[in-house]
Structure formats: structure tokens, C-alpha cells
Amino acid sequence: MLAQNSNQPLFMKSYIFTHFTRQTLHFTLFTSVSLELLLFIKMEHFYSDYKIGMLGGGQLGRMLLQAAVDYNLEIHVLDPDSDAPCKNWGTSFTTGSLTDFDTVYQFGKEMDLITIEIENVNVDALKKLQKEGTKVYPQPEIIEMIQDKRLQKEFYIKNNIPTAPFVRTETKEDILKHLDLLPAVHKLGKEGYDGKGVQLINTKNDIAKGFDKPGLLEKKIDFAKELSVIVARNKDGQISAFPTVEMVFHPTHNLVEFLFSPAEISEELHKKAEKIARGVINDIGLVGILAVEMFLTTEGEILVNEIAPRPHNSGHQTIQANYTSQYEQHLRAILNMPLGATTQHCPAAMVNLLGEPGYVGSAIFEGLEEALNIEGVYPHLYGKKITKPFRKMGHVTILDKSIEGLKKKSDEVKNLIKIIA
Amino acid sequence: MLAQNSNQPLFMKSYIFTHFTRQTLHFTLFTSVSLELLLFIKMEHFYSDYKIGMLGGGQLGRMLLQAAVDYNLEIHVLDPDSDAPCKNWGTSFTTGSLTDFDTVYQFGKEMDLITIEIENVNVDALKKLQKEGTKVYPQPEIIEMIQDKRLQKEFYIKNNIPTAPFVRTETKEDILKHLDLLPAVHKLGKEGYDGKGVQLINTKNDIAKGFDKPGLLEKKIDFAKELSVIVARNKDGQISAFPTVEMVFHPTHNLVEFLFSPAEISEELHKKAEKIARGVINDIGLVGILAVEMFLTTEGEILVNEIAPRPHNSGHQTIQANYTSQYEQHLRAILNMPLGATTQHCPAAMVNLLGEPGYVGSAIFEGLEEALNIEGVYPHLYGKKITKPFRKMGHVTILDKSIEGLKKKSDEVKNLIKIIA
């Protein structure tokens, strides 16, 4: 439409251009107002004051904001830490609790769409916002289910998703009733993360390490590898999966230390892992991105360990190594845009940059420059001023033509970079 | 060093950790204080309050800020337009003239390092800042030379860099003295950009179109293709070149419409173009990134057309298609870090999203969603609210396994997306 008509209402604008230019949709549009409204809603993100609110302002949010620049998106961030990684990068940054009903509700009331980069948020506020017309992706009911590891496991069972055997527990004493499950892992139902809220119970003698809060006891799995598949689903139901990756955890701290993409597994196992991940997101009906962490058992079985309804540590390498990054994919999914191709350019590794034990204070990235001398090394620092033992301060993505080259470089990078104070 | 010693001065911190951990440098460091200081200065970018000032807040700056997130860099932006593409994304945004001495000087005084994303800036202020100890990359003397197309051409001649024959002119009347050069292009010496300040003089009859300001008359080149090579150089003198790309300009407006990377030229011409570009940046001694635009003549000669000392329209595709993006490369260069690999993952195209003629007003990106349905299509919108005919509103990067596939997709994208109001 011409400039002199620009005082027409926005809806009319959309209507007219849809009519004149989307010829293939012409007839549909004249018979379906709802489809037309949908088109209008989808397009407005790029040129109007469509407001997206993000709960959490950590590194995952920071990389999401980076991706959002390319789509002209207005993203407002809420985080309890006034010095969080997102503080300088969103449209606005609000300091406040993510678990407090009023804080989340008041923040969300101003938004057209809410998303999360951490799942420990007040779900009741999100449900109320959703009821009042705000879009919330991932959906509050799904966040609520995932927040509780017991509900998560029960969901797997109900949907025939392969997972390790488990029982509910209320106290550590309950473990005594299930000695047949040992060796097992005792997990807090809620609020465990990054290895917290998880205890290995090898024998009766370890029961004292268990939790006296609602939790679950899960048979310890003898796994050959830990795998992860990141899947995305938009509102239209389109599903897309990234290649299966392989995570190597720190021997004592339950944190990903290295990641290799693609995983060194057979083509058959790649297909199986992807099929499981696609099944999970489809069964849940989630809109957004979902990380599906899995065990590959020593018997060649794949079991779902846990899921996270947000960009994930096991997808960082997609920024450099894949056509579409997990961050852009999440944005495409929650805005109901066509999902991007997940094709991988070349093998990639990811090394988490964790605070060195023994150091607390202003972070110094020792050895980073030497690491940059290695071809294909890309740092992503999270803007956290203070380092603490095992704090995630950044990560490094490594590209190489071969998995062998990657492994060599990953060890070099790991040995070169130390975050001290 | 341990946390309990964290009240030591920063310099000592650097000294101690260098001593204990960089074993290969141990002896050098004890005999060379200046090298040690250099190491200290380089490392501080990542954890201290090192301030980078950027002159210009347009789309190039916006993509530079995106890249800077990964390096924890504090970047402050100066731009005359309070609604410039960078306004929401830097550490701070100051509205002010880039050509006014005092504005640039006052802004720069607070910075440790100044860089640019547009070359039309006040060079005298930068020279004064440089004299007072602020780092300025690219160097002010180089910006000054490039700002004046006459000095630029004279530099090529002096350094045996192949370029089209030309003469200086002061008025359009001067063209009459050089009719032997016709058909020729009359160019304003200063402040021409994006096709402004350039007139084609085919015959004597066109002389009225010329300029009555200092300029140059350059023999019109019959070219087969327009090429560009982006090169980077850090302070240590390390030089790195991106693959040669091929630009297709709009038939009447002198703006890049399509770009293909790598250029469809022989291996020999690829080598020749790269060698010329490396020669130019080496001869100039520039620190930062330099776009070297070239003509491939119908006789197979390569002539340098013009150069730009900043990220460039002909390097946008590096964000998705190459190991290192031109933006990250510029940051690595100005901070004297090791330059990144320029390896390309797969063939790539870039389509500029220009405002459709006939429309002025709030921009609507018609057809963008349909374009996203095509595999390997990545939009980069610049956050400009108002569209005008031929205004650069964004670009789309397209990835494909083949050049043929790219060409097909580029045409599709070009036909699908229209920026109207």
C-alpha cells in the first residue's frame, strides 16, 4: 500500500497487503477470518510494538537476546540478580524474583508473550496471565510438570517413553522399602539443578545421604554415553530436531564438561534418539524448544533421563556449527514461524568454562588468548564478573573437520583456559 | 592466585599469574617488562572496565555489538540518529554528530579504544585522542586517506596497486580537458556513498551531470564482475583474508542487490584477488578490517575500485557461512587478538532488503514468513522503523550446498520479500 495511506489502522494494513500480494492464499483469506488474523498476529512481531517478556536473565537468555537482534524483537528481561548476564542486552531489564507470584504477574501483564530461560519460575502467575490472554511458551502446565521430576517420570511411563525404573519417596527412610533398586540415585522432586539435589545411593550405608523431602529413587543406569537431542515445535505442530550430541560430565560435579556433536554412535542409534526426542515433544505438545537428555545404556538401550523446556547447555555449539542455532530456533518456535534447518556444517565440540576450584572473586580468563590461537576456537563469555568454584562463566565452541581433531583441541582448550581470581 | 589475595593491584595480578602459569614465556617475561605490559593490556579486555567507543550506530555497528557479547566487551556508541539501529544494544548510546570535533573528542576522551563503523567521522578529533593515548583503530590517518577518493587513488598508484586510470578535477569544466578518458565516471572526492556522488559521463553531452567540487574523473571499466575481499590485520601484523565474493549491483541504484560467496571465478583469480587485498592492507598498515572492492575486467585483469576500513556489506554472509564472522574478526583485530579462521562452511548468498520504491513510513516486511519456509534462509533486520525507497532495512543470508541452489533461492527471496509501509 502507498505511503499516503499510512494512517489506516494496522489491521487494515495487514488485510490489504495480504489480499493483494499473497495470491496463493487469496481465496482462503476471504473465507477464513481466523487464518487472516493469525497471519496478522505472526507478522506484527517485525514492525510493531510486540513485547516479549523473558523470565530469567542468565547466559541462555543472553544468547537468546543475541539471536533476537536479527528479528527486531523487543525482549524485556526479569531476573533476581541485578548483575545477571542479560542486564545490558535486552530492551529492558527488571530485577525481581522469578518465583514470586506478584512479581512475575506484574512483569508479565505488560507483555504480549512470555518465555523462559530457566524453569524454576512461578507457574501460577503464568497460568493467570495465560488465562488473561497473554501467550506463554513453553506452556505453564508443561513447565509445572517438568519442575517436578516425579511428574516428569510419570509422564514418561504414561506415554511409553523409555526411562529408568523409579519409585516415589517422601523421606530417606523410604529408600529402605526399595533396596532392590540399589544401586540407585535419590533425587529431590523439585529445585535440583546442575548436580544439586542428586545423591548416589550404592548400598544401605549411603541412605543417610538421601533427602527428607518429596523425591524419587531411580535405578542407577550403567550407561555407555550420555546423549542429548534438542527438538523444537511451533504452534502449528511443525517439529524439528538437532543432531544427537554426546555429553561428557565432570567426574565429580554433575556438570557438562565437554560436548561432541554429532555423537559417535551408529546411524541406527542416531535415528532412535531423534525418534524418542520427537516423540517426547509431540506427546507433551510443547511450543518452543526442548532438550531431551538420554542415557545410552551398556546394552544399547536409550532411556530418557530428563528434559528441559528451554535452550540448553547441550545446544550451545549450534550457534557456530549448525545452519540454525537453538536460540533462533526457540524464537521461531514461540513466534510460530517456520522452523529452521538443523543441518550441521562440521563436527563441533563445546567446552564449558567453569570457575576453577579455590578461587572466588573478579574473574580472570587465563590462557584465553593462547586458546584463540587454535584454529576454530570461539569463546562465549557470559559477562559474570565474579568467579566461584564450578560456576559456569562461559563456554568455548570448537570446530574441526574431524572428531579426532576436535578431541585434541578440546583437551588443549580445557588445559589452557583457567578461570581464576 | 588465590582468592584471599584478591586485593592486590591488577597489574600485580597479571604479573603473578603470568609468572606461574605461562611457563613458556617465563624467561622472556623476566627480561622484558614491555612484553609483560602488552600481555596485561591484551588480557584486561575480558574482565576489567576496558571501554570501547564506536563511532556510528548503524547496522554494521549493530552486528558488531552482537559479536561483542561473546567477548564481554563494553562498547559505547555515538550516532547522530537517536533511533539508530544500535540504540538498544550497546553498553551506552549517545546521540551526537560524528563530524563535529568537540562531540567526537568528548565522547572519545572517556574511552580506552575507539573504532568506527562508518568512515565519515571527524578525523582531527581522533588524531588528538590518539596523541593523548587513546587507541584508535583503524588509525585516523588511514580513515582520512580513505575519506578522500583522490588520496585513495593516489595511494594505489604510489604502491603499484592495480586501479583504473584517473585524473583529479576541481570543477565539471575540468572534464573537458580529459575527453580521452571518456566514457568515464565522475566522482566527488569526499562524502559520496551508496551511489551518491557518482555520475557516469559517457560523452561530452553528459558533462553537465558532473560535480563542481573537488573530485576525480576515472576511466569507465568494462567489468565482467565486481568482487570484494575482506581482509583483517591486527597490531602484531597478522593478516587474514575472507574468500573472494561476487557482488551484483542494482541496475540503476549503486547498491549491492545480491552477493555470492565464493565468487564464481577461477582458482587463479581467487588467489590474485586475495593477494591484492592482502597487499593493500599490508601497505596501509591498517589495524582492523578492510573491505577491498575490485573490478574483474572483461580482459581478466583485477583493478581495485575502492576500500572501506570497517565491516562491509560484502561480508554479512560470514555470520552464518564462515568459521569467523567479519564482525568478530574486526574485534579480534582491534584488540590485537589472534585472527580467526575464515574457512567457509558452504556456498552462501546475501540479498539486501531495500525499501520498496513508492513507500515511506512504518516498515512492513511483506513475505518474510514465506521466505523463512525456504531452507537456509536467515533474516537480519536492522531495527529501522521507517522505510524509504532503497533504504537498507535488513538483509537475508542464504545457505545452500550449491551455487545453482543459491541463485534460485536468492531470486525467490528477492521476489517474496517487499518492504512497504
Side-chain angles (χ1 to χ4, degrees):
Chain A
M1 126 216 34
L2 294 165
Q4 48 267 42
N5 294 333
S6 68
N7 52 356
Q8 284 176 315
L10 268 179
F11 176 81
M12 278 304 289
K13 284 194 181 184
S14 171
Y15 188 81
I16 292 169
F17 101 64
T18 306
H19 172 43
F20 284 117
T21 63
R22 300 197 181 196
Q23 289 172 10
T24 55
L25 288 170
H26 187 103
F27 294 106
T28 325
L29 285 163
F30 273 75
T31 57
S32 163
V33 172
S34 66
L35 173 59
E36 216 243 297
L37 267 166
L38 182 70
L39 282 171
F40 167 62
I41 288 163
K42 285 167 76 178
M43 290 177 313
E44 74 178 350
H45 309 133
F46 304 125
Y47 58 87
S48 74
D49 295 325
Y50 195 82
K51 284 189 176 63
I52 299 173
M54 178 164 68
L55 300 184
Q59 59 264 20
L60 300 169
R62 184 169 157 119
M63 290 180 269
L64 198 74
L65 292 177
Q66 260 181 305
V69 171
D70 294 324
Y71 284 82
N72 270 3
L73 299 174
E74 191 177 311
I75 304 195
H76 302 264
V77 181
L78 177 69
D79 194 278
D81 177 3
S82 62
D83 200 36
C86 286
K87 71 169 167 173
N88 283 324
W89 300 103
T91 309
S92 78
F93 182 88
T94 305
T95 307
S97 165
L98 299 172
T99 50
D100 177 65
F101 180 93
D102 284 332
T103 308
V104 171
Y105 178 70
Q106 292 303 328
F107 172 79
K109 253 192 355 180
E110 308 297 322
M111 306 297 154
D112 298 292
L113 188 155
I114 301 277
T115 191
I116 60 166
E117 63 99 55
I118 183 169
E119 54 269 40
N120 190 17
V121 296
N122 190 295
V123 165
D124 293 330
L126 292 181
K127 284 183 179 170
K128 185 170 161 70
L129 288 162
Q130 184 175 254
K131 201 175 281 173
E132 290 170 7
T134 308
K135 289 197 175 68
V136 183
Y137 297 131
Q139 301 93 318
E141 301 73 21
I142 297 173
I143 301 172
E144 187 171 38
M145 183 267 279
I146 292 174
Q147 280 176 348
D148 187 337
K149 289 202 173 81
R150 299 161 15 140
L151 297 177
Q152 218 187 100
K153 290 286 283 189
E154 281 155 8
F155 175 86
Y156 302 149
I157 303 295
K158 197 179 144 202
N159 289 276
N160 291 317
I161 297 162
T163 193
F166 78 103
V167 290
R168 280 186 175 236
T169 57
E170 305 304 324
T171 64
K172 58 179 83 157
E173 289 297 303
D174 284 351
I175 301 175
L176 280 170
K177 303 174 202 159
H178 303 282
L179 294 177
D180 54 314
L181 270 179
L182 301 195
V185 182
H186 200 208
K187 293 181 178 177
L188 271 182
K190 291 188 178 185
E191 294 177 23
Y193 69 97
D194 278 358
K196 290 173 188 97
V198 176
Q199 281 296 349
L200 183 62
I201 313 290
N202 274 316
T203 66
K204 258 172 82 167
N205 298 334
D206 296 325
I207 289 178
K209 295 188 205 157
F211 304 104
D212 273 333
K213 280 184 177 177
L216 63 93
L217 187 73
E218 185 182 74
K219 194 170 170 55
K220 182 171 172 272
I221 297 301
D222 285 327
F223 57 83
K225 288 177 189 281
E226 295 199 57
L227 308 175
S228 174
V229 175
I230 291 178
V231 273
R233 182 177 171 278
N234 66 16
K235 197 166 161 261
D236 289 348
Q238 189 193 356
I239 293 176
S240 175
F242 285 92
T244 307
V245 304
E246 180 173 341
M247 297 174 291
V248 181
F249 281 73
H250 186 277
T252 55
H253 288 75
N254 190 30
L255 284 163
V256 176
E257 207 171 17
F258 296 106
L259 174 142
F260 297 100
S261 177
E264 280 193 288
I265 53 175
S266 69
E267 195 47 44
E268 194 193 347
L269 285 172
H270 267 288
K271 280 188 188 145
K272 196 167 165 184
E274 178 176 334
K275 194 179 166 196
I276 290 172
R278 284 179 175 267
V280 174
I281 200 168
N282 189 56
D283 289 342
I284 304 185
L286 176 137
V287 172
I289 212 163
L290 183 77
V292 182
E293 294 187 71
M294 296 175 265
F295 295 121
L296 171 63
T297 70
T298 45
E299 280 90 40
E301 246 195 312
I302 293 179
L303 304 176
V304 172
N305 178 20
E306 57 183 50
I307 56 178
R310 49 163 172 81
H312 191 255
N313 202 184
S314 65
H316 290 339
Q317 77 292 345
T318 57
I319 296 175
Q320 256 98 14
N322 295 66
Y323 268 44
T324 308
S325 78
Q326 66 163 344
Y327 302 98
E328 176 166 349
Q329 197 75 310
H330 183 68
L331 294 172
R332 290 193 186 211
I334 63 174
L335 296 172
N336 202 22
M337 310 288 286
L339 299 179
T342 56
T343 320
Q344 192 163 333
H345 292 301
C346 63
M350 191 275 298
V351 178
N352 267 330
L353 300 180
L354 307 175
E356 196 71 10
Y359 298 90
V360 175
S362 289
I364 298 175
F365 291 87
E366 188 195 316
L368 183 55
E369 279 200 59
E370 284 91 334
L372 287 176
N373 265 317
I374 304 169
E375 187 173 310
V377 166
Y378 298 91
H380 295 259
L381 309 185
Y382 301 156
K384 298 175 184 174
K385 287 218 168 120
I386 303 299
T387 183
K388 290 187 278 199
F390 299 105
R391 188 174 193 200
K392 286 184 187 166
M393 300 298 288
H395 73 266
V396 171
T397 299
I398 307 171
L399 305 178
D400 199 272
K401 281 172 193 133
S402 73
I403 296 272
E404 296 64 41
L406 277 180
K407 287 191 171 162
K408 195 171 155 279
K409 286 182 185 174
S410 302
D411 279 332
E412 277 173 37
V413 166
K414 178 82 198 156
N415 290 329
L416 274 171
I417 306 179
K418 299 267 177 272
I419 303 167
I420 57 171
Chain B
M1 116 219 42
L2 295 164
Q4 49 268 43
N5 294 334
S6 66
N7 53 355
Q8 283 176 316
L10 269 179
F11 176 82
M12 279 304 289
K13 283 194 182 183
S14 169
Y15 188 80
I16 292 169
F17 100 64
T18 307
H19 173 42
F20 284 116
T21 63
R22 301 196 180 198
Q23 290 174 9
T24 55
L25 288 169
H26 187 104
F27 294 106
T28 324
L29 285 164
F30 272 74
T31 57
S32 162
V33 171
S34 65
L35 173 59
E36 215 245 296
L37 267 165
L38 181 70
L39 281 171
F40 167 62
I41 289 163
K42 286 167 77 176
M43 290 178 310
E44 74 178 351
H45 308 132
F46 305 124
Y47 58 88
S48 75
D49 296 325
Y50 195 82
K51 283 188 176 65
I52 299 173
M54 178 165 68
L55 300 183
Q59 59 265 21
L60 300 169
R62 183 168 157 119
M63 290 180 269
L64 198 74
L65 293 177
Q66 259 181 306
V69 171
D70 294 323
Y71 283 83
N72 270 2
L73 298 174
E74 192 178 312
I75 304 195
H76 303 264
V77 182
L78 178 68
D79 194 277
D81 177 4
S82 62
D83 201 36
C86 285
K87 73 169 165 172
N88 283 324
W89 300 102
T91 309
S92 77
F93 182 87
T94 306
T95 307
S97 164
L98 299 172
T99 50
D100 177 64
F101 180 92
D102 283 332
T103 309
V104 171
Y105 177 70
Q106 292 303 327
F107 172 79
K109 254 193 352 183
E110 308 297 321
M111 305 297 155
D112 297 292
L113 189 156
I114 301 276
T115 191
I116 60 168
E117 62 99 55
I118 183 168
E119 54 269 41
N120 190 18
V121 296
N122 191 294
V123 164
D124 292 331
L126 293 181
K127 284 183 179 169
K128 185 169 159 72
L129 287 163
Q130 184 175 253
K131 202 175 282 175
E132 290 170 5
T134 308
K135 289 197 175 69
V136 183
Y137 298 131
Q139 301 92 317
E141 301 74 21
I142 297 173
I143 301 172
E144 188 171 38
M145 184 266 279
I146 291 174
Q147 279 177 347
D148 187 337
K149 290 201 173 82
R150 303 170 358 149
L151 296 178
Q152 219 187 101
K153 290 286 284 187
E154 282 154 8
F155 175 84
Y156 302 149
I157 302 296
K158 197 179 142 204
N159 288 277
N160 291 317
I161 296 162
T163 194
F166 78 103
V167 289
R168 279 187 175 236
T169 57
E170 304 304 324
T171 64
K172 58 180 81 155
E173 288 299 303
D174 285 351
I175 302 175
L176 280 170
K177 302 175 202 157
H178 302 283
L179 295 177
D180 55 315
L181 270 180
L182 302 194
V185 182
H186 200 206
K187 293 182 179 177
L188 271 183
K190 290 188 177 183
E191 293 175 25
Y193 68 96
D194 278 357
K196 292 175 187 95
V198 176
Q199 282 295 351
L200 183 61
I201 313 290
N202 274 317
T203 68
K204 257 171 83 167
N205 298 335
D206 295 326
I207 289 178
K209 294 188 205 157
F211 305 105
D212 273 333
K213 279 184 178 177
L216 63 93
L217 186 73
E218 185 182 74
K219 194 169 172 56
K220 182 171 172 272
I221 297 300
D222 286 326
F223 57 83
K225 287 175 189 284
E226 295 199 58
L227 307 175
S228 175
V229 175
I230 291 178
V231 272
R233 182 177 171 279
N234 66 15
K235 195 165 161 262
D236 289 348
Q238 188 194 357
I239 293 177
S240 175
F242 285 92
T244 307
V245 304
E246 179 174 342
M247 296 174 291
V248 180
F249 281 75
H250 185 277
T252 54
H253 287 76
N254 190 30
L255 283 163
V256 176
E257 207 171 17
F258 295 106
L259 175 144
F260 298 100
S261 177
E264 279 193 288
I265 53 174
S266 68
E267 194 47 44
E268 191 189 300
L269 285 172
H270 267 288
K271 280 187 190 147
K272 196 167 164 183
E274 178 176 332
K275 194 178 166 197
I276 290 171
R278 283 178 176 268
V280 174
I281 200 166
N282 189 55
D283 290 342
I284 303 184
L286 176 136
V287 172
I289 212 163
L290 184 77
V292 182
E293 295 187 69
M294 296 175 265
F295 295 122
L296 171 63
T297 71
T298 45
E299 280 91 40
E301 245 195 313
I302 293 179
L303 303 176
V304 172
N305 178 20
E306 57 183 51
I307 56 178
R310 49 165 172 80
H312 191 256
N313 202 184
S314 64
H316 289 340
Q317 77 293 344
T318 57
I319 296 175
Q320 255 98 12
N322 296 67
Y323 268 44
T324 309
S325 78
Q326 66 164 341
Y327 302 98
E328 177 166 348
Q329 196 75 309
H330 183 68
L331 295 172
R332 288 192 186 212
I334 63 175
L335 296 173
N336 202 22
M337 309 288 286
L339 299 178
T342 56
T343 318
Q344 193 163 332
H345 292 301
C346 63
M350 192 274 299
V351 178
N352 267 330
L353 300 180
L354 307 175
E356 196 70 11
Y359 298 89
V360 175
S362 289
I364 298 175
F365 292 88
E366 188 194 314
L368 183 55
E369 279 199 60
E370 283 92 330
L372 287 177
N373 265 317
I374 304 169
E375 186 172 312
V377 166
Y378 298 91
H380 296 260
L381 308 185
Y382 299 157
K384 298 174 184 174
K385 286 218 168 120
I386 303 300
T387 183
K388 289 188 280 199
F390 299 105
R391 189 174 194 201
K392 285 183 188 166
M393 301 298 288
H395 74 266
V396 170
T397 299
I398 307 171
L399 305 178
D400 199 272
K401 280 171 195 134
S402 73
I403 295 274
E404 295 66 41
L406 277 180
K407 287 192 171 161
K408 193 170 156 279
K409 285 182 186 175
S410 303
D411 280 332
E412 278 172 37
V413 166
K414 178 80 198 155
N415 291 330
L416 274 172
I417 307 179
K418 299 268 178 268
I419 304 167
I420 57 172

